[in-house]
Amino acid sequence: MTERNRTDKLEAPSNAIGKILSFIRERRYQPSERLPSERDFAEKFDTSRGAVREALAALETMRVIERRPNSGIYLRKIEESSIDALVLYAESGVPFEAKEIADVMEVRRMLEGQAVRLACTRRTADNIREINAILEETNKRLSKKQSIEREDEAFHLAIFSATKNDILLRVARSFYELSRHRRKVYFADHSRGRQSYEDHCAILEAIEERRVGQAEQQMNAHLSRTGEAWQALLAYIPQVACRLT
Amino acid sequence: MTERNRTDKLEAPSNAIGKILSFIRERRYQPSERLPSERDFAEKFDTSRGAVREALAALETMRVIERRPNSGIYLRKIEESSIDALVLYAESGVPFEAKEIADVMEVRRMLEGQAVRLACTRRTADNIREINAILEETNKRLSKKQSIEREDEAFHLAIFSATKNDILLRVARSFYELSRHRRKVYFADHSRGRQSYEDHCAILEAIEERRVGQAEQQMNAHLSRTGEAWQALLAYIPQVACRLT
DNA sequence: TCTGCCAAATTGGCCAAACCAGTCCTTTAG
DNA sequence: CTAAAGGACTGGTTTGGCCAATTTGGCAGA
């Protein structure tokens, strides 16, 4: 009951990574604490040292652990760990807090209002075509009662892309990756998907016509609605959030 | 002449990671192109398959490559690769463009102006103490004519930390990581360090006294000065930027 | 000539046993 | 009591092998 064929998030959880990760969480290891040795892990998971070392290499680049030669493997602070590690954590069963939602929405307000302004002035015809295609796909999925979490992410990232600021796009990508699990929960409700779709259409129209003020206003309205929907979601069924995947 | 004992950036370039990375770059591989097999790499680098596999595991979590079972190893798009991979690239000898600087400064303007406002209202006494300590260290290093790139990063991240928004802090961290190499180049000049220090002191004062408007204004002024200094730097000695490390 | 099938080669994934070069701690000889 | 010797760890690395799946190529039949 540990995992199934869900190898479409990170391509190689490779089994061992997940095992080590949940081992760390279950045993409540503290930062800078020393973990079992490679050989212990291999024995514990009934696998080979090579497989363990490969997983450890991955976890080290995610900055979850630190390997000190001739000493041991040490757990690092959670804040130091990379986004990929957090995604792995979030993907299955980590507690889910209202403050995180509020934080996410605050950052979105900081970034997306200004991004949409830039997008208005710098967009090309290609950008419009791309966003249009995304919205069509959104509509298609909505009419089939499917979740649109990926299309929502694609829409917002396409706006960042239209700003022609590669650094901003990169930051936005890692940000959206970070909140991907929450988005999955959010769009489990069909009506929230419909509302987002309508908001998106209005935003695209403003960008296409290069109405800077209107675009920013529409984006702010969209984010406000999303924030309120989140509050409502959390107020009534906070425990549902964890179980959905 | 490939590498020396510079194992203080990412903890385990482990030699093989760097070798594979420069191999990819030298041979000008294109995205989605198939790389040599694990066994080929092992032979090429005169090492074992296990070492190669460990490096590949790391590169896979950095999303530089994709390993398809029973098929091969494929190069992914650069835009998909993680920040760590970009840092590795930047660390040694990648071209250096003015647009990147402009992009970075644009993002900083988007984020830090609002962040400093939040910091004013939400800061605790601890935040002030922390920032003060950073500024003291900055001053100490300046009087010893040392570069302050780490202290500069610490100062700005401490402001993000004072906003009490963990998501924002995380985004800012990855952002600063992304531009770490450029910062190293920037602070190679001592006078730019002094200017930043003075700006930082003014910003801290405003945050401490919770003067929201003044803090934002100081931050904007600081970012403007930094942007201009960058322009000047790039205009006169663009080629120096690449060679400095 | 074209088609279909089967076997060999190649791939990544994995395992086992060993050796190295350090660190740390205990034991032992002076 | 001290200091040297020894052993028991550690992560880092190599070698050599097996597995399952895919790809490939050649051979047989139509």
Side-chain angles (χ1 to χ4, degrees), chain B residues 35-88:
Chain B
L35 303 179
S37 72
E38 298 180 347
R39 291 166 174 89
D40 288 343
F41 271 129
E43 196 180 0
K44 227 181 282 280
F45 300 147
D46 193 42
T47 181
S48 73
R49 223 185 126 201
V52 170
R53 277 191 61 81
E54 220 173 303
L56 292 177
L59 288 173
E60 185 168 43
T61 78
M62 291 195 257
R63 270 175 289 223
V64 172
I65 60 164
E66 183 186 352
R67 293 193 280 185
R68 301 202 203 123
N70 312 315
S71 170
I73 303 161
Y74 298 85
L75 189 60
R76 304 184 65 162
K77 294 200 210 78
I78 322 94
E79 314 96 71
E80 293 177 341
S81 62
S82 84
I83 290 171
D84 300 298
L86 289 201
V87 172
L88 278 185

Side-chain angles (χ1 to χ4, degrees), chain A residues 109-138:
Chain A
R109 261 179 270 125
M110 293 174 71
L111 282 178
E112 307 212 39
Q114 295 178 75
V116 82
R117 294 181 70 97
L118 294 177
C120 278
T121 64
R122 299 182 190 166
R123 82 187 184 48
T124 59
D126 272 347
N127 293 129
I128 301 298
R129 265 190 292 276
E130 184 195 354
I131 300 179
N132 244 323
I134 294 169
L135 287 184
E136 275 175 29
E137 178 64 22
T138 308

Side-chain angles (χ1 to χ4, degrees), chain B residues 19 38 64 66 78 125 137 145 161 181 184 190 206 220 229:
Chain B
K19 279 183 185 172
E38 298 180 347
V64 172
E66 183 186 352
I78 322 94
E137 178 64 21
K145 304 282 184 194
S161 176
H181 181 245
K184 221 178 288 179
H190 187 71
N220 284 335

